[in-house]
DNA sequence: TAAGAAAATGAAAATTACTTTCAGAAAAGT
DNA sequence: ACTTTTCTGAAAGTAATTTTCATTTTCTTA
């Protein structure tokens, strides 16, 4: 089942309506590989769809997160970001604090160990965040003075 | 060297002044094992020291983070929290999304693997966040209906 | 297809956490 | 004690997010 179907099904099931704005926002969001903040996505959308308001973008991103099509990220810059969940492999992030670059990583051994930690405390993990902050390779070189 | 000494040394070194408010805030902060938000610490302090303002608490917590006596935490509830750094072992957190309980965990194997991940990308880690969200053992039991 | 009921939209206002401003108070060097 | 510098607390300002509300749109039901 594709993502548009997932979204329309979710809307129906919740008694919500399928609007053109919601479809446009979903489409633009899915066709990106970025980690958009609400503001950034709003600005991008405004170029092709100038009538869409900031509040609608915000509300739609929240809906997408609710139905599992987006995940909320927070890299400590004071803005919530969203990325498409493509149902693929889970990943975590390396965040360059100098240039802002975001690198995605997959490390099943860490995922496994964190489950082990949870068990140790009888804790049931629903979600997690694992972010490594520092300098990307470009920025490490650039900062050697 | 104790923490009060570290703080007073830091103040002097930065040309800042040693005030009674700063000392009181440091003391109350250190004598807690909680993960306080600025608001929470301000409210606690207000009971014994009603003249201390919110802004001073905020500025002092920032100072403590600067000099390494506190670390800033962010559990996605929109408030920055602070915990004392007791110079001991680094730890990460399990956060119960139902009752708010925070459990600290230490897992050197994860720390090691994340260094390995960083190397893979030529990335230099300066800090990291690793938080597991879900239900603590009490709340898992309570939510079985 | 035409209501009618329900929900969505966009602009503006409100909220929230945080940060800054500023005038008077306190600290520290001389 | 004097003088300079920093601090303090209240209030104002910011910035991201959330809510409000009048109007428009969707969607079910005749
Ligand atoms: Mn990502
Ligand atoms: Mn802790
Ligand atoms: Zn970089
Ligand atoms: Zn709990």
């Amino acid at each position: 089942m594709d993502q548009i179907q997932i979204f329309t099904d979710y809307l129906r099931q919740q008694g919500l309506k399928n609007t053109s704005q919601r479809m446009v926002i979903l489409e633009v969001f899915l066709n990106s590989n970025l980690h958009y903040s609400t503001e950034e996505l709003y600005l991008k959308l405004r170029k092709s769809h100038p009538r869409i308001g900031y509040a609608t973008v915000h509300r739609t991103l929240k809906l997408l997160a609710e139905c599992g099509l987006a995940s909320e990220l927070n890299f400590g810059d004071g803005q919530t970001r969203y990325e498409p969940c493509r149902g693929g492999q889970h990943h975590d992030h390396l965040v360059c604090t100098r240039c802002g670059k975001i690198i995605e990583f997959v490390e099943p051994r860490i995922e496994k160990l964190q489950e082990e930690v949870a068990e140790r405390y009888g804790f049931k993990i629903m979600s997690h965040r694992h972010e490594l902050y520092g300098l990307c390779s470009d920025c490490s070189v650039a900062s050697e003075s």
Side-chain angles (χ1 to χ4, degrees), chain A:
Chain A
M1 187 157 60
D2 77 346
Q3 287 143 318
I4 292 173
Q5 195 60 52
I6 292 173
F7 191 44
T8 52
D9 286 359
Y10 179 76
L11 291 176
R12 164 144 322 184
Q13 171 208 325
Q14 299 287 309
L16 306 177
K17 289 173 179 169
N18 189 339
T19 67
S20 62
Q21 289 92 332
R22 283 174 175 166
M23 288 303 127
V24 165
I25 294 167
L26 175 58
E27 192 179 312
V28 170
F29 176 68
L30 288 177
N31 291 324
S32 83
N33 277 305
L34 299 176
H35 303 84
Y36 277 121
S37 66
T38 307
E39 177 75 16
E40 286 166 358
L41 184 57
Y42 165 68
L43 291 175
K44 175 169 175 71
L45 277 160
R46 204 167 58 169
K47 292 177 191 162
S48 49
H49 300 81
R51 316 293 306 273
I52 294 185
Y54 180 96
T56 301
V57 176
H58 172 262
R59 287 184 284 227
T60 303
L61 285 171
K62 286 277 182 192
L63 272 180
L64 293 175
E66 264 174 51
C67 71
L69 290 174
S71 42
E72 291 190 16
L73 306 172
N74 206 281
F75 295 145
D77 64 348
Q79 283 189 291
T80 301
R81 295 175 180 281
Y82 296 85
E83 71 177 348
C85 285
R86 296 226 170 57
Q89 207 165 22
H90 162 79
H91 65 261
D92 288 293
H93 298 94
L94 295 158
V95 181
C96 180
T97 49
R98 191 164 177 276
C99 72
K101 189 192 303 174
I102 294 166
I103 301 168
E104 305 185 337
F105 74 88
V106 173
E107 182 44 78
R109 287 174 294 172
I110 291 177
E111 305 291 325
K112 190 149 185 291
L113 282 169
Q114 75 190 3
E115 275 301 339
E116 200 180 305
V117 168
E119 264 173 48
R120 204 182 290 163
Y121 296 96
F123 192 95
K124 187 170 179 225
I125 300 178
M126 310 299 287
S127 66
H128 73 275
R129 315 177 27 163
H130 194 182
E131 291 137 23
L132 312 180
Y133 297 91
L135 297 176
C136 72
S137 52
D138 293 347
C139 290
S140 299
V141 172
S143 64
E144 279 164 15
S145 50

